[in-house]
């Protein structure tokens, strides 16, 4: 493949996609901000302890008379996202068309999970010249943006972020690739991770906790981008394994790749989209230059702002001080943070008959593009002195309220 031609093609289209990660000046640092709060060396997390896996097991356990293997069609979270036909249409924002739009958005995602995610397929036998790793890095990022990512960053892989075992939910959708409880061996070639960010539609997220279809659509986009980029890298002669929410924890990888920080809500907060993003990734041995982590001022801001905790319908987000004590087995600790009560969240989704995005909707970092919002982000990055004022301003301006158009 002629990469330079591809690069020209991408450059000619500047402005048609976001090139923030490549070109924008950011306040970078040598170590991610979570290092300030780390209390013990990180250990690999068992995906069977994630909220999704636990909820899946809980739902299956309710069907006492059949074994797990006999119930291949049981997917509780999928059922929630599809909606219960007996209740459709009762509440505003939960109509048949709302469910249909959302479920349609998911189609490609589930196909890719079952066929392409977490697979390292054949690579081209002719490797490209990688002596100029800076140039190769730029081309990989440009390709990622061209395939549809809104942001792309690169980190060297910290093995602590790779799950120790397959979880129930991710194994269920893996197309028979893995079973829940199987251990995950890290291949020797796995060195770099290209982390890919897909932004979700602002107006659609403001509907939460009514159905927002853009979450589903973003899952499909992240699957398309990650698998396309993996094929691109394999064509350059290097290993590449695309992944969605399986195989490794996305948020610390994204932080290490300079794409944002983790907020009180347990989500990645990016500079441009706040927490209104989905993350996928490609692991590779193509020699790349890692990005430096960023300090967006999120840590100090979240100490003051507790909007996500106050507006979480299930009480899953802590409004107190950081702690290094886990709430339960779903928390990956070793640092002081605000542990999320994952099962409270899952049970609310079940009651709500849909997933929920309130902790994205109300976050002051979730803003549509605009000069004033860009200025506010710059102020937060530079000083914590105005945080209280900006939080108040956000509330009185009416941002974060549910809007169903
Ligand atoms: S998704 Fe909803 S219920 Fe879950 S933590 Fe966020 S706001 Fe709370
Ligand atoms: S809503 Fe406030 S406290 Fe919660 S993550 Fe966003 S900035 Fe942090």
């Amino acid at each position: 493949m002629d990469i330079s031609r591809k690069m020209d093609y991408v450059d000619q289209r500047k402005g048609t996609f976001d090139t923030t990660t490549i070109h924008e000046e950011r306040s970078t640092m040598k170590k991610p901000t979570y290092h300030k709060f780390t209390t013990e060396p990180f250990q690999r997390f068992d995906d069977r302890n994630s909220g999704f896996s636990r909820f899946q097991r809980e739902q299956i356990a309710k069907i006492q008379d059949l074994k797990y293997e006999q119930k291949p069609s049981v997917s509780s979270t999928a059922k929630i996202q599809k909606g219960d036909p007996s209740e459709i249409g009762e509440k505003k924002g939960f109509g048949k068309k709302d469910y249909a739009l959302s479920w349609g958005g998911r189609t490609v995602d589930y196909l890719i999970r079952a066929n392409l995610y977490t697979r390292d397929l054949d690579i081209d036998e002719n490797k490209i010249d990688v002596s100029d790793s800076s140039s190769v890095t730029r081309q990989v990022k440009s390709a990622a943006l061209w395939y549809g990512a809104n942001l792309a960053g690169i980190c060297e892989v910290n093995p602590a972020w790779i799950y120790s075992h397959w979880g129930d939910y991710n194994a269920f959708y893996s197309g028979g690739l893995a079973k829940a409880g199987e251990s995950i061996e890290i291949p020797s070639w796995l060195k770099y991770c290209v982390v890919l960010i897909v932004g979700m539609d602002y107006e659609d997220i403001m509907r939460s906790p009514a159905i927002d279809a853009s979450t589903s659509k973003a899952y499909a986009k992240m699957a398309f981008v990650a698998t396309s980029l993996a094929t691109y890298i394999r064509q350059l002669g290097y290993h590449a394994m695309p992944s969605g929410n399986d195989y490794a924890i996305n948020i610390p990888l994204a932080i290490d790749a300079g794409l944002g920080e983790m907020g009180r809500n347990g989500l990645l907060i990016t500079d441009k989209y706040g927490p209104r993003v989905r993350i996928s990734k490609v692991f590779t041995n193509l020699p790349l230059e890692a990005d430096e982590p960023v300090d967006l001022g999120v840590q100090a801001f979240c100490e003051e702002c507790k909007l996500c905790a106050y507006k979480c319908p299930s009480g899953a987000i802590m409004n107190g001080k950081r702690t290094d004590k886990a709430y339960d087995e779903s928390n990956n600790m070793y640092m002081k943070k605000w542990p999320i009560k994952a099962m409270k969240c899952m049970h609310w989704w079940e009651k709500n008959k849909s997933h929920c995005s309130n902790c994205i909707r109300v976050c002051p970092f979730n803003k549509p593009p605009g000069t004033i919002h860009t200025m506010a982000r710059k102020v937060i990055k530079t000083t914590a002195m105005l945080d209280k004022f900006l939080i108040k301003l956000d509330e009185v301006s009416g941002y974060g309220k549910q809007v169903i158009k």
Side-chain angles (χ1 to χ4, degrees), residues 9 40 47 86 93 95 139 153 191 195 199 209 235 259 336:
Y9 182 74
E40 284 179 62
D47 190 23
S86 65
Q139 290 171 55
K191 182 132 198 252
V195 185
Q235 288 297 308
L259 293 165
K336 287 190 173 175

Side-chain angles (χ1 to χ4, degrees), residues 208 265 267 308 311-317 340 344-346 348-349 355-360:
S208 174
N265 55 9
L267 302 173
C308 54
K311 303 291 179 181
C312 169
S314 70
I317 303 174
I340 300 294
K344 284 196 173 209
C345 173
M346 291 283 95
W348 157 252
W349 287 22
H355 66 268
C356 159
S357 301
N358 278 22
C359 47
I360 300 175

